[in-house]
Amino acid sequence: MKLKQRVVLLAILLVIFIFTKVFLIDNLDTSAANREDQRAFQRMLAGLRVALEPRLEHTLQSPWEIAAQWVVPREVYPEDTPELGAVMHAMSTKRIVKADVGYKGTQLKALLILEGGQKVVFKPKRYARDYIVEGEPYAGYDRHNAEVAAFHLDRILGFRRAPLVVGRFVNLRTEIKPVATEQLLGTFMTVGNNTCFYGKCYYCRETEPACADGDIMEGSVTLWLPDVWPLQKHRHPWGRTYREGKLARWEYDESYCDAVKKTSPYDSGPRLLDIIDTAIFDYLIGNADRHHYESFQDDEGASMLILLDNAKSFGNPALDERSILAPLYQCCIIRVSTWNRLNYLKNGVLKSALKTAMSHDPISPVLSDPHLDALDQRLLSILATVKQCTDQFGPDVVLVEDRMTLSHL
C-alpha cells in the first residue's frame, strides 16, 4: 500500500476512533445521569410520607434553625430531610405570639410570628374542597389547600424550590385576637355565630371576610424564608396583561422565545430552564397567575426561581389552561432531569404520590379526587407537548442537560 493511501486510511481510522470514543462517553454519561435520576426518584417515593411529630433527634437546634440552614441558592430544602416532619409539626402547633396583617399583595393573608420568633404566612380557608371556581383561570380567592398541595408537588417533581407549607387549624378568639395588632384586630367581626376577619390587601373588603367555623379557622401556614436571603422580584416574561382585549407579546409573537433568550438573565445560566420548569409546575396545578416571580438578590441569574404564592391553583379540575405551557412549547427546551421525572410519574403514579404525600397533613384530605385526576391528565398533555418538540427539532436540541451540584454546609 502506498504511503499516501496509508496516511488516508490512518486518518479515517483516527476519525472513527474519536467519534466512537465521544459517542460512548456521551452515552455512558447520559446513562449514568439517567440511573441517578431513577435512584433519586426512588428515594423521593421512599420518603414521601411525612409524619408530623415533635421529636428532633441528634441535635440541639430548633426546628427554625434547621430549616434556615437548608436554604441555598438552588434549593429551599435538601433532598434528604429527616427533620421535615418535626419542622412541619412546629409550624402547625407552635404557639402564636403575634398576628398582623399580611405583607403587600392582592389577597387576604395574615403574618404570624410563632414561638421562637419564626414568621409564617397564614392563608384562610375560603372554599369547600369540592367548590369549582368558574371564569378566568386566575379567578377567585386564594385557595389555602392549593398552597399545601403545591408544596408537596414541588417535592415530588424534585425541584425543591417552594417554601414549606402545612395546614393548620387556629382558634381566632383565643389564639389570634389576644396577640393581634390593632390594624388586624380592627378587621375582625362576627357573622352569625362565626368569627371572621377581612385583613388588609388590595382586594380585601369588609363585605367579603373569611369566616371560621365558630371560632376555629382552617388555613395554611407558609414558612418565611430566612432574612439572610433577601428576595428580588422580577416581571415574568410570559406574564398576562390582565386587560380585556390587550394581548401580551408572547400571545401573538411566535418568535417571542428568541427575543427572551437575548435578554438577561435568560441569555445565560439556569433561569430560562427554571421558567420552563415553573410552567410545567403551574400547568399541573392550574396556576395561570404567575405574573411576577422571586429569586434571591444579587444572584446574577444563578439563583433558583422560587415557587412562592401558589394559592391561585386547583380552582377548576375541568379547565386545562394550555397557555400556561407557553414557555415550554415556544422555546421547546426542557431539562433532562425534569423530563425523566415526568416520565417516571406516568400511569397514575403522580396522583398516587401526591395523595400519599398529603395524607398526614392536619387538613387532610387536601384535594378532592377530581383535582387529583386532573393532574394525571395534565401530565399526559405535557409529555405530548415535549414529544411534538422532539419530533420537530430532535431530542438533542430539546432535552438539555443542566445539573448543578447543590451543597448544604
Side-chain angles (χ1 to χ4, degrees):
M1 186 180 291
K2 294 181 179 180
L3 180 60
K4 187 175 181 180
Q5 290 174 321
R6 287 178 181 176
V7 171
V8 170
L9 180 60
L10 284 172
I12 292 171
L13 290 173
L14 183 60
V15 169
I16 292 172
F17 173 75
I18 291 171
F19 272 99
T20 302
K21 188 175 181 181
V22 169
F23 177 77
L24 286 174
I25 290 173
D26 283 351
N27 273 355
L28 286 172
D29 287 348
T30 301
S31 179
N34 288 343
R35 285 197 300 271
E36 176 51 35
D37 285 346
Q38 179 67 52
R39 287 193 291 267
F41 179 68
Q42 294 301 329
R43 290 194 298 268
M44 180 277 294
L45 289 180
L48 204 53
R49 194 185 301 271
V50 179
L52 273 62
E53 52 185 36
R55 289 182 300 170
L56 268 175
E57 298 178 350
H58 312 302
T59 181
L60 297 177
Q61 292 180 303
S62 73
W64 316 136
E65 291 171 327
I66 290 170
Q69 290 176 354
W70 284 342
V71 182
V72 294
R74 294 293 306 170
E75 286 184 330
V76 174
Y77 54 94
E79 179 186 19
D80 183 26
T81 50
E83 308 93 347
L84 182 60
V87 174
M88 295 176 74
H89 179 272
M91 291 168 63
S92 63
T93 60
K94 284 287 187 182
R95 182 170 59 91
I96 300 165
V97 298
K98 185 179 179 181
D100 199 357
V101 294
Y103 56 92
K104 290 180 180 179
T106 62
Q107 299 289 315
L108 173 61
K109 61 184 76 72
L111 180 62
L112 309 181
I113 298 180
L114 304 183
E115 184 180 0
Q118 179 62 51
K119 294 178 186 176
V120 296
V121 176
F122 178 79
K123 295 189 177 182
K125 176 182 178 181
R126 305 298 296 251
Y127 300 113
R129 294 291 191 275
D130 57 355
Y131 184 87
I132 305 297
V133 180
E134 303 285 357
E136 298 290 345
Y138 44 81
Y141 300 120
D142 275 359
R143 277 77 79 178
H144 73 297
N145 57 319
E147 291 281 14
V148 176
F151 164 66
H152 288 289
L153 179 63
D154 175 66
R155 294 175 58 216
I156 291 167
L157 292 174
F159 293 160
R160 299 189 289 278
R161 300 171 203 156
L164 275 59
V165 184
V166 68
R168 177 165 180 162
F169 290 95
V170 297
N171 187 310
L172 295 182
R173 182 175 56 84
T174 63
E175 292 185 90
I176 300 293
K177 293 182 75 173
V179 296
T181 61
E182 289 186 9
Q183 196 172 24
L184 178 61
L185 199 58
T187 73
F188 273 79
M189 61 176 62
T190 301
V191 179
N193 295 321
N194 302 319
T195 303
C196 310
F197 76 101
Y198 57 90
K200 186 176 181 181
C201 67
Y202 187 80
Y203 290 124
C204 289
R205 303 284 186 272
E206 186 175 352
T207 54
E208 301 178 26
C211 291
D213 182 4
D215 292 324
I216 306 300
M217 174 170 277
E218 177 183 321
S220 67
V221 287
T222 301
L223 195 69
W224 196 271
L225 290 169
D227 291 337
V228 295
W229 294 98
L231 301 182
Q232 182 175 350
K233 195 169 188 175
H234 309 264
R235 183 174 294 280
H236 196 300
W238 276 268
R240 301 172 190 277
T241 66
Y242 296 93
R243 284 182 279 179
E244 189 175 350
K246 183 173 177 56
L247 298 177
R249 180 178 167 183
W250 62 267
E251 294 180 279
Y252 62 82
D253 185 353
E254 293 183 3
S255 62
Y256 178 71
C257 184
D258 293 334
V260 173
K261 288 177 180 177
K262 295 174 183 176
T263 60
S264 179
Y266 311 107
D267 54 348
S268 63
R271 188 63 57 80
L272 182 58
L273 287 165
D274 281 0
I275 288 280
I276 289 162
D277 280 348
T278 303
I280 290 167
F281 177 80
D282 283 340
Y283 181 72
L284 287 170
I285 64 179
N287 178 19
D289 195 43
R290 202 174 295 280
H291 42 82
H292 290 78
Y293 68 85
E294 284 81 15
S295 70
F296 293 130
Q297 279 185 10
D298 303 321
D299 63 343
E300 297 182 352
S303 160
M304 63 184 154
L305 188 163
I306 304 166
L307 297 174
L308 280 172
D309 291 335
N310 303 306
K312 281 292 183 75
S313 310
F314 297 107
N316 187 344
L319 177 61
D320 297 338
E321 182 54 50
R322 181 167 168 74
S323 65
I324 300 172
L325 281 180
L328 175 62
Y329 60 71
Q330 290 183 353
C331 297
C332 266
I333 55 173
I334 183 175
R335 284 187 170 101
V336 172
S337 56
T338 301
W339 172 243
N340 286 341
R341 182 60 61 98
L342 294 174
N343 276 283
Y344 300 149
L345 291 167
K346 290 187 300 188
N347 303 318
V349 177
L350 177 55
K351 171 184 174 179
S352 175
L354 187 57
K355 198 169 185 178
T356 298
M358 300 185 299
S359 61
H360 281 296
D361 194 89
I363 65 169
S364 180
V366 177
L367 294 177
S368 65
D369 284 338
H371 283 297
L372 291 167
D373 292 336
L375 281 165
D376 282 341
Q377 187 59 44
R378 290 168 186 163
L379 174 59
L380 293 178
S381 297
I382 295 167
L383 296 175
T385 299
V386 177
K387 186 178 185 306
Q388 289 173 352
C389 287
T390 56
D391 287 347
Q392 183 176 357
F393 300 107
D396 290 344
V397 172
V398 176
L399 305 180
V400 180
E401 189 61 70
D402 177 45
R403 297 167 196 271
M404 296 186 176
T405 301
L406 303 168
S407 60
H408 289 264
L409 301 177

